[in-house]
Amino acid sequence: MEKQINKKQTFMAGVLTIVVAQIVIKLLGLVYRLVITNIPYFGDEGNGLYGAGFQIYMLILAIATTGVPGAIAKLVSEKQALGKPREAHQIFRVAFILFAIIGLVGTSILFFGARYIATVLIGNPDVEGVLVALAPSIFFVAISAVIRGYFNGMYNMKASSNSQMIEQFFKSLLTILIVTGLYFMIPQIGKLANIFNVTEENVTAVMAAGANLASTIAAAIGFVYLYFFYARRKKEIWRNIKEQNEEYRKQSKRKLIKTILLLSIPMSLASIVSALNRNVDTFTVIRGLKVALEGSMLPELVAAEATRLYGILSGKVDMLIGLPLSLNIAFATALVPAVSEALALGDKKRATRRISFSLRTSVLIALPCAVGLCVLAEPILNLLFPGAYAPEAVLLLQISAFTIIFSVLNQTINGALQGLGKVLVPATTLAIGAIIKLTLNLTLIPIPEIGVNGAAIGSVCCHLVASILGFLILRKNIKLDLNKYNFVIKPIIATLLMAASAIGGQILLTNLIGSSKIVTMFSIIIAIVAYILALIFLKIFNEEDYHMLPYGDKIYNFFKKIKIVKA
């Protein structure tokens, strides 16, 4: 029993570590995207170029690396649970060499194929520089993923969280410095033209490429941190290996490579399909908008307007939608090794408890974020993008907000399924959703009255279908402990109370002091406080749930003293 309690706390400590890291990462990401979006010459068009190139990069990265941390974490956690740390370390060493080679191949494909991808696949030659700037980072991310997976498998989430925070810090800082520096160099455009072939017509493309060059430099810095993180712990790792006195039989490298690939490829498939899903917008939105815009403006302005509208989707809406996803990813990341270890030890009850708790928490994260962004869409966009406000973004954000609910659930469901060994299911369910999205994008976006909103509708339907299918399959493989009142009804009531508080606060404060950024900020604070109070008084968490939370014992004891919960 004691061992179970310690493991439970270790699981939630890992979740908390990742949550804190993701909050810092997203805040830093929000800062630099806000800064560069409001810089003249960048704006929505710059976001369109930046986003189109970045999504192609993410697709190649998914093929090369994305399943690696989860696969390595699963294999390592199983070996650690069985008292075989030396075999776990051998998996790490072989995987590092393997994915260094794969990373180099991915870098070469993106670097040498940049012109073809930009011109033929995306339909905008200005994206070429963005792709070239991003290419080297695939190598650094690939080898970094192996180190992260190794330490995740040992329940040490600091390697992942710290390296990601460091990487994001330098990415944010360097992006702002590079883009701002290019803006201030525009008066020297004549000199730049002779050196870098920069003109006023393509300065936005150069800024977008510079922003992504910052990502490559940051990825290299993140790897350097991870290398020293491992080097500082190498003696301790080998001391632990010697203390275990395991019966060690060295496995052949060929067999290990086969084992790693047989696990990482299926686990990567979900990420690959997810990246393909995002690239559905890359390949269809600009092309579809060109059709929708024909006849409504001069032909030479159509491409720029289509890129601008795509920039609103990828640079503003997708960024805001991504904030809740980044918080919830902690559960998806921690669930894979946690469930794998519990099953390796034959403790199915603990696996069930962790999955059920994670699903309920995901709902509690997703619902208020989706509804909050929907009801406060316009004031939030005015708050964040005062220098680049676009009225088209309001409805686009309101529709897209509901993607959060199903995407967040999908993350947790996929983590649970991978931990249970059902590694092909997430890819299959998301592939079905992606086909639906592609069909809706091709049908809806070219319609002038719908336009870019068709991409948002497609995303909602895609993740709705994928989450329903994934949940049904998960429920068939493990008996979930989900009470319909605490899982659905009470969270909906709490969210509606939050929405009413947000709208009421916005109206009341606007009448008192007029429309302003301060009113929006206070409305958001009122909504958050109202939601937390609703969760407490609706008694969504029971005693066991509180103890699952970080510092849950102290929270529960405090609530017991003030008689919010029963003694």
Side-chain angles (χ1 to χ4, degrees):
M1 181 67 182
E2 183 63 31
K3 184 177 180 181
Q4 286 185 4
I5 292 172
N6 289 337
K7 288 295 181 183
K8 173 190 69 178
Q9 292 172 340
T10 302
F11 168 68
M12 287 310 301
V15 170
L16 180 62
T17 300
I18 299 170
V19 166
V20 171
Q22 289 298 320
I23 290 172
V24 173
I25 288 166
K26 284 302 174 181
L27 285 175
L28 289 171
L30 181 64
V31 168
Y32 88 78
R33 292 303 290 268
L34 291 178
V35 171
I36 64 175
T37 300
N38 287 292
I39 290 176
Y41 286 92
F42 195 89
D44 290 326
E45 187 179 354
N47 273 325
L49 297 172
Y50 180 97
F54 197 79
Q55 292 304 334
I56 294 290
Y57 157 77
M58 289 299 291
L59 173 59
I60 296 175
L61 191 65
I63 295 170
T65 71
T66 308
V68 178
I72 303 302
K74 180 176 172 61
L75 292 170
V76 169
S77 66
E78 288 172 350
K79 295 295 183 183
Q80 291 286 132
L82 297 172
K84 297 180 178 180
R86 190 166 184 177
E87 289 187 20
H89 192 263
Q90 189 187 4
I91 290 169
F92 162 67
R93 288 190 299 177
V94 172
F96 188 87
I97 297 169
L98 172 64
F99 285 99
I101 296 169
I102 293 174
L104 281 173
V105 172
T107 289
S108 301
I109 290 171
L110 189 59
F111 186 85
F112 293 108
R115 179 166 298 181
Y116 175 82
I117 294 169
T119 306
V120 178
L121 299 182
I122 298 176
N124 192 332
D126 287 340
V127 180
E128 181 184 353
V130 173
L131 297 174
V132 170
L134 279 170
S137 64
I138 292 176
F139 170 73
F140 293 112
V141 174
I143 52 181
S144 296
V146 176
I147 302 176
R148 287 171 178 156
Y150 178 59
F151 283 104
N152 284 355
M154 296 192 292
Y155 288 97
N156 187 337
M157 303 297 175
K158 289 183 179 179
S160 290
S161 58
N162 291 354
S163 64
Q164 288 173 343
M165 284 192 289
I166 289 169
E167 186 176 326
Q168 187 66 32
F169 171 78
F170 281 102
K171 179 179 178 179
S172 303
L173 177 64
L174 292 171
T175 299
I176 292 171
L177 290 176
I178 291 172
V179 174
T180 306
L182 286 168
Y183 169 68
F184 283 113
M185 290 174 73
I186 290 174
Q188 305 296 321
I189 202 79
K191 295 178 183 178
L192 285 172
N194 296 327
I195 304 171
F196 299 109
N197 192 30
V198 180
T199 64
E200 281 200 49
E201 286 73 27
N202 69 4
V203 69
T204 302
V206 174
M207 283 180 162
N212 280 299
L213 178 62
S215 299
T216 293
I217 298 170
I221 293 171
F223 166 69
V224 171
Y225 169 81
L226 283 167
Y227 173 79
F228 284 107
F229 187 94
Y230 167 74
R232 286 197 302 270
R233 288 157 181 80
K234 192 173 181 179
K235 288 183 179 179
E236 182 183 340
I237 290 169
W238 278 102
R239 188 184 305 119
N240 180 50
I241 288 172
K242 290 175 182 177
E243 288 174 355
Q244 288 289 332
N245 290 321
E246 64 180 287
E247 292 183 11
Y248 175 67
R249 182 179 295 176
K250 189 175 182 180
Q251 293 180 274
S252 70
K253 291 180 181 178
R254 181 176 296 181
K255 186 177 179 180
L256 276 179
I257 289 172
K258 184 179 178 181
T259 302
I260 293 166
L261 290 178
L262 284 175
L263 185 59
S264 64
I265 290 174
M267 291 183 78
S268 292
L269 284 176
S271 299
I272 292 169
V273 174
S274 180
L276 281 169
N277 189 19
R278 289 191 296 270
N279 273 283
V280 168
D281 285 342
T282 305
F283 296 137
T284 61
V285 171
I286 293 177
R287 292 178 184 276
L289 287 172
K290 286 179 180 179
V291 176
L293 295 168
E294 276 182 5
S296 63
M297 59 180 61
L298 295 173
E300 58 268 26
L301 299 178
V302 168
E305 177 64 7
T307 303
R308 184 187 74 83
L309 290 171
Y310 175 69
I312 294 172
L313 175 66
S314 63
K316 292 177 179 174
V317 173
D318 285 352
M319 179 187 68
L320 291 171
I321 297 302
L323 293 174
L325 298 179
S326 64
L327 296 179
N328 186 71
I329 201 171
F331 287 99
T333 302
L335 268 177
V336 177
V339 173
S340 298
E341 183 200 47
L343 294 178
L345 296 172
D347 193 348
K348 199 168 184 178
K349 185 178 178 181
R350 195 199 315 168
T352 300
R353 188 166 61 248
R354 286 174 175 173
I355 292 171
S356 300
F357 180 79
S358 296
L359 282 170
R360 287 197 292 116
T361 307
S362 294
V363 169
L364 295 176
I365 291 171
L367 279 176
C369 291
V371 175
L373 280 175
C374 184
V375 300
L376 295 176
E378 185 173 3
I380 287 173
L381 288 166
N382 270 314
L383 172 69
L384 298 177
F385 304 103
Y389 175 74
E392 302 94 335
V394 177
L395 180 58
L396 188 60
L397 178 57
Q398 288 175 329
I399 298 170
S400 298
F402 291 95
T403 308
I404 295 171
I405 299 170
F406 310 114
S407 297
V408 164
L409 276 173
N410 242 351
Q411 276 184 338
T412 306
I413 290 167
N414 290 347
L417 287 167
Q418 288 175 347
L420 291 168
K422 305 295 179 181
V423 291
L424 288 174
V425 173
T428 305
T429 57
L430 195 54
I432 294 169
I435 292 169
I436 293 171
K437 177 172 172 58
L438 176 62
T439 304
L440 289 173
N441 272 25
L442 293 173
T443 305
L444 298 177
I445 294 172
I447 300 173
E449 293 78 13
I450 298 176
V452 71
N453 295 318
I457 295 169
S459 294
V460 173
C461 294
C462 164
H463 291 286
L464 169 63
V465 170
S467 61
I468 290 172
L469 292 175
F471 182 77
L472 292 174
I473 295 168
L474 177 63
R475 198 168 62 175
K476 281 185 178 181
N477 283 276
I478 194 165
K479 187 178 180 182
L480 297 171
D481 181 20
L482 295 174
N483 180 292
K484 66 179 179 180
Y485 291 102
N486 288 337
F487 185 54
V488 178
I489 296 174
K490 287 183 180 180
I492 289 175
I493 293 171
T495 301
L496 292 175
L497 290 171
M498 179 215 71
S501 301
I503 295 170
Q506 183 80 9
I507 294 171
L508 178 63
L509 292 171
T510 300
N511 289 334
L512 288 175
I513 60 177
S515 181
S516 68
K517 295 177 183 179
I518 295 174
V519 168
T520 302
M521 293 171 68
F522 272 109
S523 298
I524 293 170
I525 293 170
I526 289 169
I528 293 170
V529 172
Y531 184 67
I532 293 171
L533 291 175
L535 293 183
I536 295 170
F537 287 105
L538 286 171
K539 298 179 181 178
I540 289 176
F541 289 126
N542 58 33
E543 182 178 354
E544 185 179 1
D545 294 333
Y546 278 112
H547 293 316
M548 283 281 286
L549 294 169
Y551 308 107
D553 295 341
K554 293 181 180 179
I555 295 171
Y556 179 77
N557 289 333
F558 173 73
F559 285 164
K560 193 162 61 174
K561 282 182 181 178
I562 60 176
K563 297 183 179 179
I564 289 178
V565 297
K566 291 181 180 179

